[in-house]
Short mmCIF file of all heavy atoms in Angstrom, two decimals:
data_model
loop_
_atom_site.label_atom_id
_atom_site.label_comp_id
_atom_site.label_asym_id
_atom_site.label_seq_id
_atom_site.Cartn_x
_atom_site.Cartn_y
_atom_site.Cartn_z
N MET A 154 13.52 1.70 23.42
CA MET A 154 12.40 1.74 22.51
C MET A 154 12.25 0.37 21.86
O MET A 154 13.22 -0.22 21.40
CB MET A 154 12.65 2.84 21.47
CG MET A 154 11.63 2.85 20.38
SD MET A 154 11.51 4.37 19.43
CE MET A 154 12.99 4.40 18.50
N ASP A 155 11.02 -0.12 21.81
CA ASP A 155 10.76 -1.40 21.17
C ASP A 155 10.89 -1.27 19.67
O ASP A 155 10.43 -0.31 19.07
CB ASP A 155 9.34 -1.89 21.50
CG ASP A 155 9.22 -2.28 22.96
OD1 ASP A 155 10.24 -2.63 23.57
OD2 ASP A 155 8.09 -2.23 23.48
N ARG A 156 11.49 -2.24 19.10
CA ARG A 156 11.68 -2.23 17.65
C ARG A 156 10.64 -3.13 17.00
O ARG A 156 10.41 -4.25 17.44
CB ARG A 156 13.07 -2.71 17.32
CG ARG A 156 13.40 -2.55 15.88
CD ARG A 156 14.80 -2.98 15.61
NE ARG A 156 14.85 -3.17 14.19
CZ ARG A 156 15.81 -2.72 13.43
NH1 ARG A 156 16.80 -2.09 13.94
NH2 ARG A 156 15.77 -2.92 12.14
N VAL A 157 10.03 -2.64 15.95
CA VAL A 157 9.05 -3.43 15.20
C VAL A 157 9.82 -4.42 14.35
O VAL A 157 10.76 -4.05 13.64
CB VAL A 157 8.18 -2.53 14.31
CG1 VAL A 157 7.24 -3.35 13.47
CG2 VAL A 157 7.43 -1.51 15.15
N PRO A 158 9.47 -5.71 14.41
CA PRO A 158 10.20 -6.69 13.59
C PRO A 158 10.00 -6.41 12.10
O PRO A 158 8.91 -6.07 11.66
CB PRO A 158 9.58 -8.03 13.99
CG PRO A 158 8.33 -7.72 14.71
CD PRO A 158 8.41 -6.30 15.19
N GLN A 159 11.08 -6.54 11.35
CA GLN A 159 11.02 -6.34 9.91
C GLN A 159 10.53 -7.62 9.24
O GLN A 159 10.92 -8.71 9.63
CB GLN A 159 12.41 -5.97 9.37
CG GLN A 159 12.94 -4.67 9.93
CD GLN A 159 12.13 -3.49 9.49
OE1 GLN A 159 11.75 -3.37 8.33
NE2 GLN A 159 11.83 -2.60 10.41
N ARG A 160 9.68 -7.47 8.27
CA ARG A 160 9.19 -8.61 7.52
C ARG A 160 9.80 -8.57 6.12
O ARG A 160 10.02 -7.51 5.56
CB ARG A 160 7.68 -8.60 7.42
CG ARG A 160 7.01 -8.71 8.77
CD ARG A 160 5.57 -9.11 8.58
NE ARG A 160 4.87 -9.19 9.83
CZ ARG A 160 4.76 -10.30 10.55
NH1 ARG A 160 5.33 -11.40 10.16
NH2 ARG A 160 4.09 -10.30 11.68
N SER A 161 10.03 -9.73 5.57
CA SER A 161 10.57 -9.79 4.22
C SER A 161 9.44 -9.55 3.23
O SER A 161 8.27 -9.79 3.55
CB SER A 161 11.21 -11.16 3.97
OG SER A 161 10.22 -12.16 3.95
N PRO A 162 9.76 -9.08 2.03
CA PRO A 162 8.71 -8.82 1.03
C PRO A 162 7.77 -10.01 0.78
O PRO A 162 6.56 -9.80 0.71
CB PRO A 162 9.49 -8.44 -0.22
CG PRO A 162 10.74 -7.82 0.30
CD PRO A 162 11.07 -8.62 1.55
N PRO A 163 8.27 -11.25 0.70
CA PRO A 163 7.32 -12.36 0.49
C PRO A 163 6.33 -12.52 1.63
O PRO A 163 5.16 -12.84 1.41
CB PRO A 163 8.23 -13.59 0.35
CG PRO A 163 9.52 -13.05 -0.15
CD PRO A 163 9.65 -11.71 0.54
N GLN A 164 6.77 -12.27 2.87
CA GLN A 164 5.85 -12.36 4.00
C GLN A 164 4.77 -11.27 3.90
O GLN A 164 3.59 -11.54 4.13
CB GLN A 164 6.60 -12.21 5.32
CG GLN A 164 7.46 -13.41 5.66
CD GLN A 164 8.30 -13.15 6.88
OE1 GLN A 164 8.83 -12.06 7.06
NE2 GLN A 164 8.42 -14.16 7.71
N VAL A 165 5.18 -10.06 3.59
CA VAL A 165 4.23 -8.96 3.46
C VAL A 165 3.31 -9.23 2.27
O VAL A 165 2.11 -8.97 2.35
CB VAL A 165 4.97 -7.61 3.29
CG1 VAL A 165 3.99 -6.48 3.03
CG2 VAL A 165 5.80 -7.31 4.52
N LEU A 166 3.86 -9.77 1.20
CA LEU A 166 3.06 -10.07 0.01
C LEU A 166 1.92 -11.02 0.34
O LEU A 166 0.80 -10.86 -0.16
CB LEU A 166 3.96 -10.65 -1.08
CG LEU A 166 3.37 -10.78 -2.46
CD1 LEU A 166 2.95 -9.43 -3.00
CD2 LEU A 166 4.37 -11.43 -3.39
N ARG A 167 2.17 -11.99 1.20
CA ARG A 167 1.10 -12.92 1.60
C ARG A 167 0.00 -12.22 2.40
O ARG A 167 -1.15 -12.66 2.38
CB ARG A 167 1.69 -14.08 2.41
CG ARG A 167 2.40 -15.10 1.56
CD ARG A 167 2.71 -16.35 2.34
NE ARG A 167 3.73 -16.16 3.37
CZ ARG A 167 5.04 -16.23 3.16
NH1 ARG A 167 5.49 -16.49 1.95
NH2 ARG A 167 5.89 -16.08 4.14
N LEU A 168 0.33 -11.16 3.09
CA LEU A 168 -0.64 -10.43 3.91
C LEU A 168 -1.46 -9.42 3.10
O LEU A 168 -2.54 -9.02 3.52
CB LEU A 168 0.06 -9.69 5.04
CG LEU A 168 0.81 -10.53 6.06
CD1 LEU A 168 1.59 -9.64 7.00
CD2 LEU A 168 -0.15 -11.41 6.83
N LEU A 169 -0.94 -8.99 1.96
CA LEU A 169 -1.58 -7.92 1.20
C LEU A 169 -3.02 -8.20 0.76
O LEU A 169 -3.87 -7.31 0.87
CB LEU A 169 -0.73 -7.52 0.00
CG LEU A 169 0.46 -6.63 0.33
CD1 LEU A 169 1.33 -6.43 -0.89
CD2 LEU A 169 0.01 -5.31 0.91
N PRO A 170 -3.36 -9.38 0.27
CA PRO A 170 -4.76 -9.60 -0.13
C PRO A 170 -5.75 -9.36 1.02
O PRO A 170 -6.78 -8.71 0.83
CB PRO A 170 -4.79 -11.06 -0.60
CG PRO A 170 -3.39 -11.33 -1.04
CD PRO A 170 -2.53 -10.54 -0.10
N ASP A 171 -5.40 -9.86 2.20
CA ASP A 171 -6.29 -9.64 3.36
C ASP A 171 -6.31 -8.17 3.76
O ASP A 171 -7.37 -7.64 4.12
CB ASP A 171 -5.87 -10.50 4.54
CG ASP A 171 -6.17 -11.97 4.33
OD1 ASP A 171 -7.07 -12.29 3.53
OD2 ASP A 171 -5.50 -12.81 4.96
N LEU A 172 -5.15 -7.51 3.70
CA LEU A 172 -5.12 -6.08 4.03
C LEU A 172 -6.00 -5.28 3.07
O LEU A 172 -6.73 -4.39 3.50
CB LEU A 172 -3.68 -5.55 3.97
CG LEU A 172 -2.77 -5.88 5.13
CD1 LEU A 172 -1.34 -5.45 4.82
CD2 LEU A 172 -3.26 -5.20 6.39
N LEU A 173 -5.90 -5.58 1.79
CA LEU A 173 -6.72 -4.87 0.80
C LEU A 173 -8.21 -5.12 1.03
O LEU A 173 -9.02 -4.20 1.01
CB LEU A 173 -6.32 -5.27 -0.62
CG LEU A 173 -5.02 -4.67 -1.12
CD1 LEU A 173 -4.55 -5.39 -2.37
CD2 LEU A 173 -5.18 -3.20 -1.36
N CYS A 174 -8.56 -6.37 1.24
CA CYS A 174 -9.96 -6.71 1.48
C CYS A 174 -10.48 -6.02 2.74
O CYS A 174 -11.55 -5.40 2.73
CB CYS A 174 -10.11 -8.22 1.60
SG CYS A 174 -11.81 -8.76 1.82
N ASP A 175 -9.71 -6.10 3.81
CA ASP A 175 -10.14 -5.49 5.07
C ASP A 175 -10.22 -3.97 4.96
O ASP A 175 -11.12 -3.35 5.54
CB ASP A 175 -9.18 -5.87 6.21
CG ASP A 175 -9.28 -7.34 6.59
OD1 ASP A 175 -10.24 -8.01 6.16
OD2 ASP A 175 -8.39 -7.81 7.31
N SER A 176 -9.30 -3.35 4.23
CA SER A 176 -9.31 -1.89 4.12
C SER A 176 -10.51 -1.41 3.30
O SER A 176 -11.00 -0.31 3.51
CB SER A 176 -8.00 -1.38 3.52
OG SER A 176 -7.83 -1.83 2.20
N ARG A 177 -10.97 -2.24 2.38
CA ARG A 177 -12.15 -1.86 1.57
C ARG A 177 -13.46 -2.03 2.33
O ARG A 177 -14.44 -1.38 1.99
CB ARG A 177 -12.21 -2.72 0.31
CG ARG A 177 -11.19 -2.35 -0.71
CD ARG A 177 -11.46 -3.12 -2.00
NE ARG A 177 -10.33 -3.06 -2.86
CZ ARG A 177 -9.60 -4.09 -3.23
NH1 ARG A 177 -9.90 -5.29 -2.81
NH2 ARG A 177 -8.58 -3.94 -4.02
N THR A 178 -13.48 -2.91 3.31
CA THR A 178 -14.73 -3.22 3.98
C THR A 178 -14.89 -2.53 5.34
O THR A 178 -15.87 -2.78 6.03
CB THR A 178 -14.87 -4.75 4.18
OG1 THR A 178 -13.77 -5.22 4.95
CG2 THR A 178 -14.93 -5.46 2.84
N GLN A 179 -13.95 -1.68 5.69
CA GLN A 179 -14.07 -0.94 6.94
C GLN A 179 -15.18 0.11 6.82
O GLN A 179 -15.38 0.69 5.77
CB GLN A 179 -12.74 -0.23 7.28
CG GLN A 179 -11.61 -1.16 7.58
CD GLN A 179 -11.87 -1.99 8.82
OE1 GLN A 179 -12.27 -1.47 9.85
NE2 GLN A 179 -11.66 -3.28 8.69
N PRO A 180 -15.88 0.36 7.92
CA PRO A 180 -16.91 1.40 7.87
C PRO A 180 -16.28 2.79 7.79
O PRO A 180 -15.15 3.00 8.23
CB PRO A 180 -17.67 1.22 9.20
CG PRO A 180 -16.70 0.53 10.09
CD PRO A 180 -15.81 -0.30 9.21
N GLY A 181 -17.01 3.71 7.21
CA GLY A 181 -16.55 5.10 7.13
C GLY A 181 -15.61 5.34 5.96
O GLY A 181 -15.55 4.58 5.00
N ASP A 182 -14.85 6.43 6.08
CA ASP A 182 -13.94 6.86 5.02
C ASP A 182 -12.68 6.00 5.07
O ASP A 182 -11.91 6.06 6.02
CB ASP A 182 -13.58 8.34 5.21
CG ASP A 182 -12.70 8.87 4.11
OD1 ASP A 182 -12.56 8.19 3.06
OD2 ASP A 182 -12.16 9.97 4.28
N THR A 183 -12.50 5.19 4.04
CA THR A 183 -11.35 4.28 4.01
C THR A 183 -10.24 4.76 3.08
O THR A 183 -9.26 4.05 2.88
CB THR A 183 -11.79 2.88 3.56
OG1 THR A 183 -12.34 2.98 2.23
CG2 THR A 183 -12.81 2.29 4.50
N ALA A 184 -10.36 5.96 2.55
CA ALA A 184 -9.40 6.43 1.55
C ALA A 184 -7.97 6.45 2.09
O ALA A 184 -7.05 6.00 1.41
CB ALA A 184 -9.80 7.81 1.04
N ASP A 185 -7.76 6.97 3.30
CA ASP A 185 -6.40 7.01 3.85
C ASP A 185 -5.82 5.61 3.97
O ASP A 185 -4.67 5.37 3.60
CB ASP A 185 -6.39 7.67 5.24
CG ASP A 185 -6.50 9.18 5.17
OD1 ASP A 185 -6.31 9.76 4.08
OD2 ASP A 185 -6.79 9.78 6.22
N LEU A 186 -6.61 4.70 4.49
CA LEU A 186 -6.16 3.32 4.66
C LEU A 186 -5.85 2.67 3.32
O LEU A 186 -4.81 2.03 3.14
CB LEU A 186 -7.20 2.52 5.42
CG LEU A 186 -6.87 1.07 5.74
CD1 LEU A 186 -5.57 0.96 6.54
CD2 LEU A 186 -8.02 0.42 6.48
N LEU A 187 -6.73 2.86 2.34
CA LEU A 187 -6.50 2.28 1.01
C LEU A 187 -5.22 2.83 0.37
O LEU A 187 -4.45 2.07 -0.21
CB LEU A 187 -7.70 2.55 0.10
CG LEU A 187 -8.84 1.56 0.20
CD1 LEU A 187 -10.03 2.08 -0.59
CD2 LEU A 187 -8.42 0.20 -0.29
N VAL A 188 -5.02 4.13 0.47
CA VAL A 188 -3.81 4.72 -0.10
C VAL A 188 -2.58 4.09 0.53
O VAL A 188 -1.63 3.71 -0.16
CB VAL A 188 -3.80 6.25 0.08
CG1 VAL A 188 -2.44 6.84 -0.24
CG2 VAL A 188 -4.86 6.90 -0.79
N ARG A 189 -2.59 3.92 1.84
CA ARG A 189 -1.44 3.35 2.52
C ARG A 189 -1.21 1.88 2.15
O ARG A 189 -0.07 1.45 1.97
CB ARG A 189 -1.60 3.50 4.03
CG ARG A 189 -1.47 4.93 4.49
CD ARG A 189 -1.84 5.08 5.96
NE ARG A 189 -1.91 6.45 6.35
CZ ARG A 189 -0.89 7.13 6.87
NH1 ARG A 189 0.28 6.54 7.04
NH2 ARG A 189 -1.03 8.40 7.20
N VAL A 190 -2.27 1.12 2.04
CA VAL A 190 -2.13 -0.30 1.69
C VAL A 190 -1.64 -0.44 0.25
O VAL A 190 -0.75 -1.25 -0.03
CB VAL A 190 -3.44 -1.07 1.93
CG1 VAL A 190 -3.34 -2.50 1.41
CG2 VAL A 190 -3.78 -1.09 3.42
N TYR A 191 -2.19 0.34 -0.67
CA TYR A 191 -1.72 0.29 -2.06
C TYR A 191 -0.27 0.76 -2.15
O TYR A 191 0.52 0.24 -2.94
CB TYR A 191 -2.61 1.11 -2.99
CG TYR A 191 -3.86 0.38 -3.41
CD1 TYR A 191 -5.12 0.93 -3.18
CD2 TYR A 191 -3.80 -0.86 -4.04
CE1 TYR A 191 -6.27 0.27 -3.57
CE2 TYR A 191 -4.94 -1.53 -4.43
CZ TYR A 191 -6.17 -0.96 -4.19
OH TYR A 191 -7.31 -1.62 -4.58
N ARG A 192 0.10 1.75 -1.34
CA ARG A 192 1.48 2.22 -1.33
C ARG A 192 2.41 1.11 -0.85
O ARG A 192 3.47 0.88 -1.42
CB ARG A 192 1.59 3.45 -0.43
CG ARG A 192 2.97 4.02 -0.37
CD ARG A 192 3.00 5.23 0.51
NE ARG A 192 4.37 5.69 0.61
CZ ARG A 192 4.84 6.37 1.62
NH1 ARG A 192 4.06 6.72 2.60
NH2 ARG A 192 6.09 6.73 1.63
N LEU A 193 2.00 0.41 0.20
CA LEU A 193 2.78 -0.73 0.69
C LEU A 193 2.91 -1.79 -0.40
O LEU A 193 4.00 -2.34 -0.62
CB LEU A 193 2.11 -1.32 1.93
CG LEU A 193 2.72 -2.61 2.48
CD1 LEU A 193 4.15 -2.38 2.95
CD2 LEU A 193 1.85 -3.16 3.61
N ALA A 194 1.82 -2.08 -1.08
CA ALA A 194 1.85 -3.06 -2.17
C ALA A 194 2.85 -2.64 -3.24
O ALA A 194 3.65 -3.46 -3.72
CB ALA A 194 0.46 -3.22 -2.77
N ALA A 195 2.83 -1.37 -3.61
CA ALA A 195 3.76 -0.88 -4.63
C ALA A 195 5.20 -1.04 -4.19
O ALA A 195 6.06 -1.48 -4.97
CB ALA A 195 3.45 0.58 -4.95
N GLN A 196 5.49 -0.71 -2.95
CA GLN A 196 6.86 -0.82 -2.46
C GLN A 196 7.34 -2.28 -2.44
O GLN A 196 8.48 -2.55 -2.81
CB GLN A 196 6.95 -0.21 -1.06
CG GLN A 196 6.79 1.29 -1.09
CD GLN A 196 6.63 1.89 0.30
OE1 GLN A 196 6.14 1.25 1.22
NE2 GLN A 196 7.05 3.14 0.43
N VAL A 197 6.48 -3.19 -2.04
CA VAL A 197 6.84 -4.60 -2.03
C VAL A 197 7.06 -5.10 -3.46
O VAL A 197 8.02 -5.82 -3.74
CB VAL A 197 5.77 -5.45 -1.31
CG1 VAL A 197 6.01 -6.93 -1.51
CG2 VAL A 197 5.74 -5.11 0.18
N LEU A 198 6.17 -4.71 -4.36
CA LEU A 198 6.30 -5.15 -5.74
C LEU A 198 7.58 -4.63 -6.39
O LEU A 198 8.22 -5.35 -7.18
CB LEU A 198 5.06 -4.73 -6.54
CG LEU A 198 3.80 -5.52 -6.18
CD1 LEU A 198 2.56 -4.81 -6.70
CD2 LEU A 198 3.89 -6.94 -6.70
N VAL A 199 7.98 -3.41 -6.06
CA VAL A 199 9.25 -2.89 -6.59
C VAL A 199 10.41 -3.74 -6.08
O VAL A 199 11.30 -4.11 -6.85
CB VAL A 199 9.44 -1.41 -6.20
CG1 VAL A 199 10.88 -0.97 -6.41
CG2 VAL A 199 8.50 -0.52 -7.01
N LYS A 200 10.39 -4.08 -4.79
CA LYS A 200 11.46 -4.92 -4.23
C LYS A 200 11.52 -6.29 -4.88
O LYS A 200 12.57 -6.90 -4.98
CB LYS A 200 11.28 -5.07 -2.72
CG LYS A 200 11.63 -3.83 -1.94
CD LYS A 200 11.62 -4.11 -0.48
CE LYS A 200 11.97 -2.88 0.31
NZ LYS A 200 13.39 -2.60 0.31
N LEU A 201 10.37 -6.78 -5.35
CA LEU A 201 10.31 -8.08 -6.01
C LEU A 201 10.59 -7.99 -7.51
O LEU A 201 10.52 -8.99 -8.22
CB LEU A 201 8.95 -8.72 -5.77
CG LEU A 201 8.65 -9.09 -4.32
CD1 LEU A 201 7.22 -9.59 -4.19
CD2 LEU A 201 9.63 -10.12 -3.81
N GLY A 202 10.87 -6.77 -8.01
CA GLY A 202 11.19 -6.59 -9.41
C GLY A 202 9.97 -6.56 -10.32
O GLY A 202 10.09 -6.77 -11.53
N GLU A 203 8.81 -6.29 -9.76
CA GLU A 203 7.56 -6.25 -10.53
C GLU A 203 7.10 -4.81 -10.72
O GLU A 203 6.07 -4.37 -10.20
CB GLU A 203 6.47 -7.07 -9.81
CG GLU A 203 6.79 -8.53 -9.68
CD GLU A 203 6.75 -9.25 -11.01
OE1 GLU A 203 6.18 -8.73 -11.99
OE2 GLU A 203 7.29 -10.37 -11.08
N ALA A 204 7.88 -4.05 -11.48
CA ALA A 204 7.62 -2.62 -11.65
C ALA A 204 6.26 -2.35 -12.29
O ALA A 204 5.56 -1.41 -11.89
CB ALA A 204 8.72 -1.97 -12.48
N ASP A 205 5.86 -3.16 -13.26
CA ASP A 205 4.57 -2.93 -13.92
C ASP A 205 3.42 -3.08 -12.93
O ASP A 205 2.48 -2.27 -12.93
CB ASP A 205 4.37 -3.90 -15.08
CG ASP A 205 5.30 -3.61 -16.25
OD1 ASP A 205 5.86 -2.49 -16.31
OD2 ASP A 205 5.47 -4.50 -17.10
N LEU A 206 3.48 -4.09 -12.09
CA LEU A 206 2.43 -4.27 -11.09
C LEU A 206 2.50 -3.18 -10.02
O LEU A 206 1.47 -2.76 -9.50
CB LEU A 206 2.55 -5.65 -10.44
CG LEU A 206 2.23 -6.84 -11.35
CD1 LEU A 206 2.49 -8.15 -10.61
CD2 LEU A 206 0.79 -6.77 -11.83
N ALA A 207 3.71 -2.71 -9.73
CA ALA A 207 3.85 -1.62 -8.76
C ALA A 207 3.17 -0.35 -9.28
O ALA A 207 2.49 0.35 -8.53
CB ALA A 207 5.32 -1.35 -8.48
N TRP A 208 3.32 -0.08 -10.58
CA TRP A 208 2.66 1.10 -11.16
C TRP A 208 1.15 0.95 -11.07
O TRP A 208 0.43 1.93 -10.85
CB TRP A 208 3.10 1.32 -12.61
CG TRP A 208 4.43 2.01 -12.70
CD1 TRP A 208 5.59 1.48 -13.17
CD2 TRP A 208 4.73 3.34 -12.30
NE1 TRP A 208 6.59 2.40 -13.08
CE2 TRP A 208 6.10 3.56 -12.56
CE3 TRP A 208 3.98 4.38 -11.74
CZ2 TRP A 208 6.73 4.77 -12.27
CZ3 TRP A 208 4.62 5.59 -11.45
CH2 TRP A 208 5.97 5.77 -11.72
N LEU A 209 0.65 -0.25 -11.24
CA LEU A 209 -0.79 -0.49 -11.11
C LEU A 209 -1.24 -0.19 -9.68
O LEU A 209 -2.27 0.45 -9.47
CB LEU A 209 -1.13 -1.93 -11.49
CG LEU A 209 -2.59 -2.32 -11.40
CD1 LEU A 209 -3.46 -1.47 -12.31
CD2 LEU A 209 -2.75 -3.79 -11.73
N ALA A 210 -0.46 -0.61 -8.69
CA ALA A 210 -0.80 -0.33 -7.30
C ALA A 210 -0.77 1.17 -7.02
O ALA A 210 -1.64 1.69 -6.31
CB ALA A 210 0.16 -1.07 -6.36
N VAL A 211 0.20 1.87 -7.60
CA VAL A 211 0.26 3.33 -7.43
C VAL A 211 -0.96 3.99 -8.08
O VAL A 211 -1.56 4.91 -7.51
CB VAL A 211 1.57 3.91 -8.01
CG1 VAL A 211 1.52 5.43 -8.07
CG2 VAL A 211 2.75 3.45 -7.19
N ASP A 212 -1.35 3.51 -9.25
CA ASP A 212 -2.53 4.04 -9.91
C ASP A 212 -3.77 3.85 -9.03
O ASP A 212 -4.60 4.76 -8.90
CB ASP A 212 -2.73 3.36 -11.26
CG ASP A 212 -3.92 3.92 -12.00
OD1 ASP A 212 -3.92 5.14 -12.31
OD2 ASP A 212 -4.87 3.16 -12.27
N ARG A 213 -3.89 2.70 -8.42
CA ARG A 213 -5.02 2.44 -7.52
C ARG A 213 -4.95 3.36 -6.30
O ARG A 213 -5.97 3.83 -5.80
CB ARG A 213 -5.04 0.98 -7.10
CG ARG A 213 -5.19 0.03 -8.27
CD ARG A 213 -6.58 -0.56 -8.33
NE ARG A 213 -6.76 -1.35 -9.53
CZ ARG A 213 -6.76 -2.67 -9.59
NH1 ARG A 213 -6.58 -3.37 -8.49
NH2 ARG A 213 -6.96 -3.28 -10.73
N ALA A 214 -3.75 3.59 -5.80
CA ALA A 214 -3.58 4.50 -4.66
C ALA A 214 -4.01 5.91 -5.04
O ALA A 214 -4.68 6.61 -4.27
CB ALA A 214 -2.14 4.50 -4.17
N MET A 215 -3.63 6.35 -6.25
CA MET A 215 -4.02 7.68 -6.73
C MET A 215 -5.54 7.78 -6.86
O MET A 215 -6.14 8.81 -6.52
CB MET A 215 -3.34 7.99 -8.06
CG MET A 215 -1.84 8.07 -7.98
SD MET A 215 -1.25 9.48 -7.06
CE MET A 215 -1.51 10.77 -8.25
N THR A 216 -6.17 6.73 -7.34
CA THR A 216 -7.63 6.71 -7.45
C THR A 216 -8.26 6.79 -6.06
O THR A 216 -9.22 7.53 -5.85
CB THR A 216 -8.10 5.44 -8.18
OG1 THR A 216 -7.52 5.43 -9.49
CG2 THR A 216 -9.61 5.38 -8.29
N ALA A 217 -7.72 6.04 -5.12
CA ALA A 217 -8.24 6.06 -3.75
C ALA A 217 -8.04 7.42 -3.10
O ALA A 217 -8.81 7.81 -2.21
CB ALA A 217 -7.58 4.97 -2.92
N ALA A 218 -7.02 8.16 -3.54
CA ALA A 218 -6.74 9.48 -2.96
C ALA A 218 -7.86 10.48 -3.23
O ALA A 218 -8.00 11.46 -2.51
CB ALA A 218 -5.42 10.01 -3.50
N SER A 219 -8.64 10.24 -4.25
CA SER A 219 -9.83 11.05 -4.56
C SER A 219 -9.56 12.54 -4.67
O SER A 219 -10.38 13.36 -4.27
CB SER A 219 -10.91 10.80 -3.50
OG SER A 219 -11.22 9.46 -3.39
N GLY A 220 -8.39 12.91 -5.18
CA GLY A 220 -8.10 14.32 -5.38
C GLY A 220 -7.67 15.08 -4.13
O GLY A 220 -7.37 16.26 -4.20
N ASP A 221 -7.63 14.43 -2.99
CA ASP A 221 -7.16 15.07 -1.75
C ASP A 221 -5.65 15.28 -1.87
O ASP A 221 -4.92 14.33 -2.14
CB ASP A 221 -7.49 14.18 -0.55
CG ASP A 221 -6.98 14.75 0.74
OD1 ASP A 221 -7.72 15.51 1.38
OD2 ASP A 221 -5.83 14.42 1.11
N PRO A 222 -5.16 16.51 -1.68
CA PRO A 222 -3.73 16.78 -1.90
C PRO A 222 -2.79 15.94 -1.01
O PRO A 222 -1.77 15.46 -1.48
CB PRO A 222 -3.58 18.27 -1.56
CG PRO A 222 -4.94 18.83 -1.65
CD PRO A 222 -5.90 17.73 -1.36
N TRP A 223 -3.15 15.77 0.25
CA TRP A 223 -2.29 15.00 1.14
C TRP A 223 -2.24 13.54 0.71
O TRP A 223 -1.18 12.94 0.62
CB TRP A 223 -2.80 15.11 2.58
CG TRP A 223 -1.90 14.43 3.56
CD1 TRP A 223 -0.79 14.97 4.15
CD2 TRP A 223 -1.99 13.09 4.02
NE1 TRP A 223 -0.20 14.03 4.96
CE2 TRP A 223 -0.92 12.87 4.90
CE3 TRP A 223 -2.87 12.05 3.79
CZ2 TRP A 223 -0.71 11.66 5.55
CZ3 TRP A 223 -2.66 10.83 4.43
CH2 TRP A 223 -1.59 10.66 5.30
N ARG A 224 -3.42 12.97 0.44
CA ARG A 224 -3.48 11.57 0.01
C ARG A 224 -2.79 11.37 -1.33
O ARG A 224 -2.10 10.37 -1.54
CB ARG A 224 -4.92 11.11 -0.10
CG ARG A 224 -5.63 10.98 1.22
CD ARG A 224 -7.06 10.60 1.00
NE ARG A 224 -7.83 10.64 2.22
CZ ARG A 224 -9.11 10.90 2.27
NH1 ARG A 224 -9.80 11.15 1.17
NH2 ARG A 224 -9.74 10.92 3.42
N THR A 225 -2.98 12.31 -2.24
CA THR A 225 -2.34 12.22 -3.56
C THR A 225 -0.83 12.24 -3.42
O THR A 225 -0.13 11.46 -4.07
CB THR A 225 -2.82 13.36 -4.47
OG1 THR A 225 -4.25 13.27 -4.60
CG2 THR A 225 -2.17 13.30 -5.83
N GLY A 226 -0.32 13.11 -2.56
CA GLY A 226 1.13 13.17 -2.31
C GLY A 226 1.64 11.87 -1.73
O GLY A 226 2.69 11.36 -2.13
N LEU A 227 0.90 11.30 -0.81
CA LEU A 227 1.28 10.03 -0.19
C LEU A 227 1.30 8.92 -1.23
O LEU A 227 2.20 8.08 -1.26
CB LEU A 227 0.31 9.68 0.94
CG LEU A 227 0.64 8.46 1.78
CD1 LEU A 227 1.98 8.65 2.50
CD2 LEU A 227 -0.47 8.21 2.78
N ALA A 228 0.32 8.92 -2.11
CA ALA A 228 0.25 7.89 -3.17
C ALA A 228 1.37 8.08 -4.19
O ALA A 228 1.98 7.11 -4.63
CB ALA A 228 -1.10 7.94 -3.85
N ALA A 229 1.65 9.32 -4.55
CA ALA A 229 2.62 9.61 -5.61
C ALA A 229 4.05 9.33 -5.19
O ALA A 229 4.89 8.99 -6.02
CB ALA A 229 2.49 11.06 -6.06
N ILE A 230 4.34 9.43 -3.92
CA ILE A 230 5.70 9.25 -3.45
C ILE A 230 6.11 7.78 -3.44
O ILE A 230 7.28 7.44 -3.27
CB ILE A 230 5.87 9.88 -2.05
CG1 ILE A 230 7.33 10.17 -1.76
CG2 ILE A 230 5.28 8.99 -0.98
CD1 ILE A 230 7.55 11.02 -0.56
N SER A 231 5.17 6.89 -3.69
CA SER A 231 5.43 5.46 -3.60
C SER A 231 6.62 4.99 -4.44
O SER A 231 7.40 4.17 -3.98
CB SER A 231 4.20 4.66 -4.03
OG SER A 231 3.14 4.92 -3.16
N LEU A 232 6.71 5.45 -5.64
CA LEU A 232 7.79 4.96 -6.52
C LEU A 232 8.84 6.01 -6.82
O LEU A 232 9.66 5.81 -7.68
CB LEU A 232 7.17 4.47 -7.84
CG LEU A 232 6.24 3.27 -7.71
CD1 LEU A 232 5.72 2.86 -9.07
CD2 LEU A 232 6.94 2.11 -7.05
N ALA A 233 8.82 7.09 -6.09
CA ALA A 233 9.80 8.16 -6.33
C ALA A 233 11.19 7.72 -5.94
O ALA A 233 11.39 6.87 -5.15
CB ALA A 233 9.41 9.41 -5.55
#
């Protein structure tokens, strides 16, 4: 099985602005994608010791979840 290369938090952090921009501008329902990107942002921020910013990313993920139970669960588990 091919293994996906692991990226360090600073490398992922550099990619996040483009990921967020691209996920917002995709056609159709982008809620799932936004929740996942904000969740990734929260996880990276926690690893970097930026808990306050991580909570902001989780809040944005919860907003993007739009009350959908599956999306809300995915967003909420970010900092558990």
